[in-house]
Amino acid sequence: MIRYIYDHLPEFVRKPATSLFFYAVPFPYNRGLRYANIYIYRELMKTQWWDEKNLLLLQFERLRDLLLYAYENVPYYNELFTKYGFNPKKFQDFTDLSVLPRIVLTREEINRNFEDLIPKNYDGYRILLKTGGTTRLPMSFYVSENTYLAALACIQRQWYWAGVKPKDLIFVFRGGVVTKKAKRLNYFCERINNEVYFDTSNMDGNTLNRYVDILNRMKPTAIRGFPSCLEILSDYIIERKISVHQPKAIQTSSEVLLPKQREKIELAFGSKVFDTYGNGEHTIIATECDKHSGLHLNQEFGYTEFVKIGETEENESIYKVITTSLFNSAFVFFRYDTEDLVILDHSACSCGRRFPLIKKVMGRCGDIIRCSNGKKIPPVSFANFWVDNLKDRLRGIKYVQLVQKDLEYFIVRLIGQEDRENEKMKK
């Protein structure tokens, strides 16, 4: 409702109205009445201290309700459960899922059965999301408003662990081009969240110098971004021995955070890094606390099954991550294959929270594109450029691969679909 009112205000009234709203309306009401009413953040602040038994009970109850909902309202799951003799009404224990031994939802399966995965009676607000397919098979899906708000609450809880309060100023380096149009469209969200977004598509010396000046002038409480983007900024600071403002915390996400990247970022800013693992499908969230002993699996948000597929050279077990969103009634992700691999830590974190710990995420690592003029480009910038400028013009493309053999050029490899839509477009 708040965003609806904002979008219908005259252009010259929007900025002052949003600023007035930011200062006048306290958290959590500044996030909207729905966020304040369900206010999962308050619940998360309690459940973080629950023991393993109560956390599993909470998961089971939410999973049971979700499976019953899927059975009664989603054609895909009604047919699937009936085929294997699984009746959610008789679901009494996690072991009852054993009758569905090989049922895993993949991207291919979603693309083939998209319409049958949409609930028949869902009438709430939902967000249509699409993956661009630059790293994996592209697909479309819906996310309910409650799912999105629950994810925000999980991230807000991690900020609390890091000592960052709601409404504190946060600088964001998450890839892509920040155009004037994007600034105008995103101003509402940025102002409500008190965030400043930085363009990371052209991080040359002049740009990085300007970003450092802004950092020292505005002194943000925290920084969040992709590891590759923050690594480029950190290299610039370290190489030139620049003194920069020290934020309370730095949050990384969306790419694997390598040990050397963490070391660089913490050295450059003099602040601790708090890593986050999740996905665009909103089926899993794992967050690092102030003890930095691994990523706490947010059990309130999703039900995760770790399937062992092998071992490392150090004899550590490698697990495939299979997830179920416990909130998304707009598009049920049950036993969804994230295509990610992790190593678990079976010890308990000294913070006292009883969540399972992920020691290492082994997927989604992005290399940095390097140019002959010294410019460094994070891979997400190319991905965003592809999605924003080329994807709709090259509609027959199934996969994209970027190969850089030297500093002068790189090769873009494309795999087309069988219908050869691009050839049709040429004619």
Side-chain angles (χ1 to χ4, degrees):
M1 177 59 73
I2 297 172
R3 182 57 191 260
Y4 177 84
I5 294 173
Y6 170 83
D7 288 340
H8 287 77
L9 287 174
E11 189 73 31
F12 71 92
V13 177
R14 289 183 178 182
K15 283 193 175 182
T18 307
S19 295
L20 177 63
F21 180 86
F22 172 79
Y23 288 109
V25 181
F27 178 84
Y29 295 97
N30 67 313
R31 289 285 180 88
L33 293 178
R34 189 167 184 81
Y35 183 90
N37 287 337
I38 65 168
Y39 204 11
I40 191 175
Y41 177 70
R42 182 184 289 115
E43 176 187 295
L44 292 177
M45 298 304 287
K46 296 177 181 178
T47 55
Q48 67 176 324
W49 302 115
W50 283 9
D51 58 23
E52 183 179 357
K53 179 180 178 181
N54 284 315
L55 285 170
L56 288 175
L57 180 60
L58 174 64
Q59 274 195 316
F60 174 77
E61 291 174 349
R62 287 181 175 173
L63 180 60
R64 180 186 57 200
D65 293 343
L66 178 75
L67 294 179
L68 182 59
Y69 170 82
Y71 179 71
E72 294 178 344
N73 299 285
V74 184
Y76 177 84
Y77 289 110
N78 180 278
E79 180 180 346
L80 196 64
F81 294 168
T82 301
K83 177 181 177 181
Y84 285 88
F86 176 71
N87 188 349
K89 295 180 180 178
K90 298 179 180 180
F91 183 43
Q92 299 296 322
D93 189 84
F94 290 117
T95 58
D96 293 342
L97 296 176
S98 61
V99 298
L100 304 170
R102 296 184 179 180
I103 304 304
V104 175
L105 186 67
T106 63
R107 289 190 171 213
E108 291 83 359
E109 193 72 3
I110 290 174
N111 285 338
R112 283 195 299 265
N113 300 278
F114 179 77
E115 294 298 329
D116 285 340
L117 281 162
I118 300 174
K120 294 182 297 184
N121 69 337
Y122 185 81
D123 59 358
Y125 180 74
R126 63 186 183 183
I127 306 166
L128 178 63
L129 298 179
K130 299 180 180 180
T131 62
T134 51
T135 56
R136 291 185 249 178
L137 184 69
M139 71 172 183
S140 300
F141 56 93
Y142 288 103
V143 171
S144 69
E145 184 177 18
N146 280 0
T147 307
Y148 178 71
L149 296 177
L152 284 179
C154 289
I155 298 303
Q156 188 63 55
R157 179 169 68 177
Q158 187 191 27
W159 280 128
Y160 173 81
W161 295 349
V164 179
K165 301 186 296 296
K167 294 192 175 187
D168 280 346
L169 178 61
I170 299 174
F171 277 11
V172 183
F173 298 85
R174 283 185 57 84
V177 181
V178 182
T179 63
K180 291 183 178 180
K181 180 180 179 181
K183 286 182 178 180
R184 181 176 61 80
L185 293 175
N186 295 329
Y187 180 81
F188 175 82
C189 292
E190 292 178 19
R191 192 68 189 94
I192 294 302
N193 299 326
N194 203 16
E195 294 178 338
V196 177
Y197 279 74
F198 290 82
D199 189 330
T200 59
S201 64
N202 181 21
M203 299 181 76
D204 58 16
N206 291 333
T207 301
L208 292 171
N209 184 63
R210 181 164 55 86
Y211 288 174
V212 169
D213 286 343
I214 296 173
L215 178 72
N216 286 332
R217 176 165 45 85
M218 297 184 67
K219 296 180 170 51
T221 304
I223 294 173
R224 69 182 181 96
F226 294 147
S228 58
C229 298
L230 294 178
E231 180 184 11
I232 293 173
L233 181 58
S234 298
D235 280 338
Y236 181 82
I237 293 170
I238 293 170
E239 290 168 2
R240 288 159 179 75
K241 299 180 181 180
I242 301 173
S243 177
V244 297
H245 164 71
Q246 180 179 345
K248 281 188 176 181
I250 298 174
Q251 183 195 75
T252 54
S253 64
S254 302
E255 297 170 353
V256 172
L257 175 67
L258 301 176
K260 287 186 178 179
Q261 289 177 317
R262 181 190 290 268
E263 184 180 334
K264 283 183 182 180
I265 296 168
E266 292 185 345
L267 176 62
F269 292 96
S271 306
K272 283 293 184 180
V273 169
F274 291 73
D275 197 22
T276 303
Y277 165 58
N279 59 6
E281 296 87 335
H282 291 69
T283 60
I284 182 172
I285 294 178
T287 45
E288 184 178 356
C289 74
D290 59 335
K291 300 302 180 182
H292 306 282
S293 299
L295 297 166
H296 290 281
L297 183 65
N298 288 213
Q299 289 175 282
E300 309 97 331
F301 185 76
Y303 173 63
T304 304
E305 299 169 81
F306 297 105
V307 181
K308 184 177 177 179
I309 63 167
E311 293 185 346
T312 66
E313 294 181 356
E314 294 77 22
N315 296 320
E316 293 180 306
S317 296
I318 301 174
Y319 297 90
K320 178 184 289 189
V321 182
I322 306 297
T323 59
T324 300
S325 171
L326 297 176
F327 281 88
N328 196 2
S329 54
F331 199 91
V332 177
F333 282 92
F334 171 59
R335 281 188 163 174
Y336 173 66
D337 185 357
T338 63
E339 302 180 21
D340 290 332
L341 303 177
V342 300
I343 295 174
L344 301 179
D345 187 339
H346 298 287
S347 62
C349 183
S350 60
C351 71
R353 299 176 182 90
R354 307 307 300 173
F355 301 120
L357 280 175
I358 296 176
K359 180 179 180 180
K360 181 180 180 181
V361 180
M362 303 178 69
R364 279 186 284 169
C365 182
D367 295 321
I368 293 173
I369 301 169
R370 299 178 183 274
C371 305
S372 58
N373 62 1
K375 185 186 299 183
K376 299 176 183 178
I377 304 173
V380 68
S381 293
F382 176 82
N384 288 338
F385 175 79
W386 178 271
V387 172
D388 294 339
N389 298 281
L390 298 177
K391 183 172 68 70
D392 291 335
R393 293 163 59 187
L394 298 174
R395 289 173 290 178
I397 303 304
K398 188 174 183 181
Y399 295 107
V400 180
Q401 183 185 58
L402 200 64
V403 180
Q404 183 175 23
K405 294 190 174 183
D406 60 41
L407 298 178
E408 296 298 331
Y409 71 97
F410 55 80
I411 300 170
V412 180
R413 293 175 175 167
L414 308 176
I415 296 180
Q417 295 176 339
E418 292 182 1
D419 57 10
R420 298 181 180 178
E421 292 183 35
N422 289 316
E423 293 186 13
K424 294 178 182 177
M425 290 175 66
K426 290 179 182 179
K427 295 178 181 179

